[in-house]
Amino acid sequence: MSEGGYLIHNQHSIHFITFAVVQWVDVFTRKIYSDIIIDSLKFCQENKGLKIHAWCLMSNHIHLIISTDEKNKLSDVLRDFKKFTSVKIIKEIENSTTESRKNWMIWIFKKAGEANNRNKEYQFWQQDNHPIELDSEEIFNSKINYLHYNPVKVGLVKEEKDYLLSSGIDYFGDEEGLLKIDFV
């Protein structure tokens, strides 16, 4: 069970998952960091049985509607994804010669790591995933609409299909987005 008491009971059913950067730091305003997320999700699709039904990466959090094949547990895939991306993004920030927020972000991730005995040095992601099993069509539709409307709501785009860092283009546009979508 996670620190906050959230548990994925059915490891192979479709879940709505949300997790955020500690202190809601706006990391994903830089393409280099969002590319790490996209590439990692692709890797999980190709190598860990991850099925992405919908997704949306915002400036400081990600929403996913996902499941896995029968060989892989969803909680294991999420654990590995969060661990890999946190290490990779922090390393990228530390090694950056152009990141204007470098010292501030590293300080926040270090303080968060010090406050959590489950980390060695840094903490990038908040601990919880807030999984919600999508066991009805009504809940599924509610979550997929919420996920895709998120960038519209905050004023990044006018329509869901226009936000590059989501599956909105797959659902509302006439193109394929950045990730392969397993439509339900």
Side-chain angles (χ1 to χ4, degrees), residues 132-145:
I132 298 171
E133 187 172 349
L134 304 182
D135 54 3
S136 76
E137 187 176 343
E138 182 182 344
I139 296 171
F140 181 87
N141 289 337
S142 169
K143 294 303 179 187
I144 201 166
N145 290 335

Side-chain angles (χ1 to χ4, degrees), residues 40-86:
S40 297
L41 287 169
K42 284 180 184 175
F43 178 86
C44 290
Q45 285 179 301
E46 295 165 5
N47 299 285
K48 293 182 173 278
L50 180 67
K51 297 176 183 179
I52 300 175
H53 307 289
W55 68 284
C56 183
L57 179 62
M58 298 297 287
S59 66
N60 52 24
H61 65 285
I62 186 167
H63 297 294
L64 300 166
I65 295 178
I66 54 177
S67 62
T68 57
D69 61 19
E70 289 299 316
K71 293 184 269 183
N72 296 280
K73 291 172 71 176
L74 187 55
S75 56
D76 292 346
V77 174
L78 286 171
R79 178 200 61 222
D80 294 349
F81 171 81
K82 287 175 79 173
K83 183 176 181 181
F84 176 81
T85 56
S86 64

Side-chain angles (χ1 to χ4, degrees), residues 11-179:
Q11 291 288 326
H12 303 291
S13 67
I14 297 173
H15 282 77
F16 176 77
I17 307 280
T18 296
F19 46 94
V21 178
V22 295
Q23 298 296 319
W24 295 88
V25 175
D26 290 321
V27 174
F28 305 116
T29 57
R30 307 272 199 263
K31 185 178 184 315
I32 192 161
Y33 310 131
S34 59
D35 284 349
I36 292 169
I37 299 298
I38 303 302
D39 292 343
S40 297
L41 287 169
K42 284 180 184 175
F43 178 86
C44 290
Q45 285 179 301
E46 295 165 5
N47 299 285
K48 293 182 173 278
L50 180 67
K51 297 176 183 179
I52 300 175
H53 307 289
W55 68 284
C56 183
L57 179 62
M58 298 297 287
S59 66
N60 52 24
H61 65 285
I62 186 167
H63 297 294
L64 300 166
I65 295 178
I66 54 177
S67 62
T68 57
D69 61 19
E70 289 299 316
K71 293 184 269 183
N72 296 280
K73 291 172 71 176
L74 187 55
S75 56
D76 292 346
V77 174
L78 286 171
R79 178 200 61 222
D80 294 349
F81 171 81
K82 287 175 79 173
K83 183 176 181 181
F84 176 81
T85 56
S86 64
V87 169
K88 181 100 171 156
I89 291 169
I90 288 172
K91 187 174 187 173
E92 189 66 43
I93 293 168
E94 286 180 319
N95 294 332
S96 176
T97 57
T98 58
E99 177 56 72
S100 61
R101 309 164 301 161
K102 175 180 177 173
N103 293 334
W104 171 73
M105 287 194 296
I106 293 299
W107 180 83
I108 287 176
F109 301 143
K110 188 168 185 62
K111 286 294 181 191
E114 290 170 357
N116 185 342
N117 62 6
R118 294 175 67 179
N119 295 310
K120 291 181 181 169
E121 189 173 0
Y122 299 111
Q123 181 173 337
F124 181 78
W125 295 111
Q126 292 180 21
Q127 216 65 49
D128 295 325
N129 299 322
H130 301 285
I132 298 171
E133 187 172 349
L134 304 182
D135 54 3
S136 76
E137 187 176 343
E138 182 182 344
I139 296 171
F140 181 87
N141 289 337
S142 169
K143 294 303 179 187
I144 201 166
N145 290 335
Y146 171 81
L147 175 151
H148 287 132
Y149 192 69
N150 213 269
V152 175
K153 182 179 176 183
V154 299
L156 295 173
V157 293
K158 285 187 174 188
E159 297 181 43
E160 293 93 331
K161 69 178 177 62
D162 297 327
Y163 191 61
L164 183 63
L165 298 176
S166 85
S167 53
I169 192 167
D170 300 282
Y171 281 90
F172 301 101
D174 55 2
E175 299 177 55
E176 288 184 7
L178 298 173
L179 295 169

